[in-house]
Amino acid sequence: MWIKYTAFVSFVTLLVGYFAALFVGWSLAEAIPQVSPERQQNILAVSAAIAILFLPTWFIHWRWLRQDWSWESKGAQNYLLFFTAMGLGASGIIGVQLIARLLNIAMGSMPLAGSQQFLFGAIWSVAWSLWLWTYHGRTWLAHRRRPVERSDRPVGGI
């Protein structure tokens, strides 16, 4: 029961905290589409409050979970796969948009002055997403590659 509780809290708080952190970056840049500058400040305040509450809550529950979790379990593997894939997917999608914008600026088809807000939001989002990807991906690989101890193997043999 304890493992299910900590896994559920870890999953939900990281998911909500991750998106809240993304909104913090985009609202700091005032680059959320179809939202007025006044509403951007409100979104910033709410997103920051959510991130301040949810990310430390995730960290505490994640530390507890790591101590008790069977890393070979389906739940552990799915958790790590989900956040690894989500971080990689978001990094790829936003990264392509960021690189395209930078190339358009370099080729002179877009002005830098009109792109600064987008660039800040995109760099923020790619950085968060890369962290999510690398942290969970490395954790997944580290536990996936851990040698399996088998007691049925003969000593010194195959």
Side-chain angles (χ1 to χ4, degrees):
M1 185 68 161
W2 173 252
I3 292 173
K4 286 183 180 183
Y5 162 76
T6 54
F8 178 76
V9 172
S10 292
F11 182 85
V12 170
T13 55
L14 182 56
L15 188 64
V16 173
Y18 168 73
F19 283 107
L22 290 180
F23 273 100
V24 165
W26 286 105
S27 57
L28 272 173
E30 295 184 357
I32 299 174
Q34 301 175 350
V35 176
S36 68
E38 298 80 32
R39 292 264 308 134
Q40 302 265 359
Q41 292 301 312
N42 186 44
I43 292 171
L44 173 61
V46 171
S47 298
I50 291 170
I52 288 168
L53 178 65
F54 277 63
L55 292 175
T57 303
W58 165 76
F59 180 73
I60 290 166
H61 285 79
W62 177 244
R63 286 191 54 181
W64 292 338
L65 184 61
R66 286 188 332 196
Q67 294 171 0
D68 298 325
W69 216 348
S70 168
W71 291 100
E72 294 80 22
S73 72
K74 187 175 180 178
Q77 294 296 304
N78 288 340
Y79 181 98
L80 294 172
L81 173 63
F82 177 82
F83 285 112
T84 300
M86 190 169 85
L88 179 59
S91 298
I93 292 167
I94 301 165
V96 166
Q97 295 172 6
L98 174 63
I99 292 168
R101 179 71 62 104
L102 289 171
L103 290 173
N104 279 323
I105 292 168
M107 293 185 293
S109 58
M110 286 187 129
L112 176 61
S115 296
Q116 291 171 336
Q117 292 172 315
F118 174 84
L119 293 175
F120 179 84
I123 290 169
W124 177 279
S125 296
V126 168
W128 271 106
S129 299
L130 284 174
W131 172 83
L132 189 74
W133 171 50
T134 57
Y135 178 78
H136 287 89
R138 292 178 114 196
T139 303
W140 190 26
L141 289 174
H143 290 288
R144 194 191 71 160
R145 291 184 180 156
R146 205 169 17 172
V148 177
E149 295 178 21
R150 294 184 54 178
S151 60
D152 60 332
R153 270 194 239 162
V155 177
I158 299 174

